[in-house]
Amino acid sequence: EKVVRNLKVIVAQEGLVEINTSALRKGLKEPYPTRSVCEEFLSMGGMLTLSDDSHGIAHVGTNYEKGIEYLESLGVKELYTLEGKSTHLNGQVTVRSVTLASVKESFKA
């Protein structure tokens, strides 16, 4: 109940939910949040972004290929990113969509 309530708030405020691949680095089978949360959020029209939750250079982009596979399994076609600069009082930040296919393509050699 509370998760659904919170997801509704995120959607109403045009916020993003992060697909966090650090869960895979820690041995879990899927990124955070769980599939059921993602499915609920997507059914509400929610926007997802991708993160590795890196705390050092060695973890940047860790498991993004598996994260992309997870997103594809959810039927995701677009990811969202923040663009611009925010300051405490007067920054301008916008949300921009990028295709999941273009993100996937960026990992090819």
Side-chain angles (χ1 to χ4, degrees), residues 34-80:
T34 63
R35 179 170 295 274
S36 60
V37 171
C38 289
E39 289 171 342
E40 183 69 30
F41 187 62
L42 290 168
S43 76
M44 296 175 181
M47 298 181 290
L48 298 174
T49 193
L50 184 61
S51 171
D52 54 27
D53 194 28
S54 61
H55 291 259
I57 294 171
H59 294 152
V60 173
T62 302
N63 289 309
Y64 269 16
E65 291 89 352
K66 291 179 183 176
I68 290 168
E69 289 175 14
Y70 176 70
L71 290 162
E72 289 174 330
S73 77
L74 289 167
V76 171
K77 302 287 185 215
E78 287 182 288
L79 289 177
Y80 296 85

Side-chain angles (χ1 to χ4, degrees), residues 3 13 18 50 65 67 76-78 90 92 95 99:
V3 170
Q13 294 180 355
E18 166 189 283
L50 184 61
E65 291 89 352
V76 171
K77 302 287 185 215
E78 287 182 288
N90 59 2
Q92 181 72 4
V95 175
T99 65

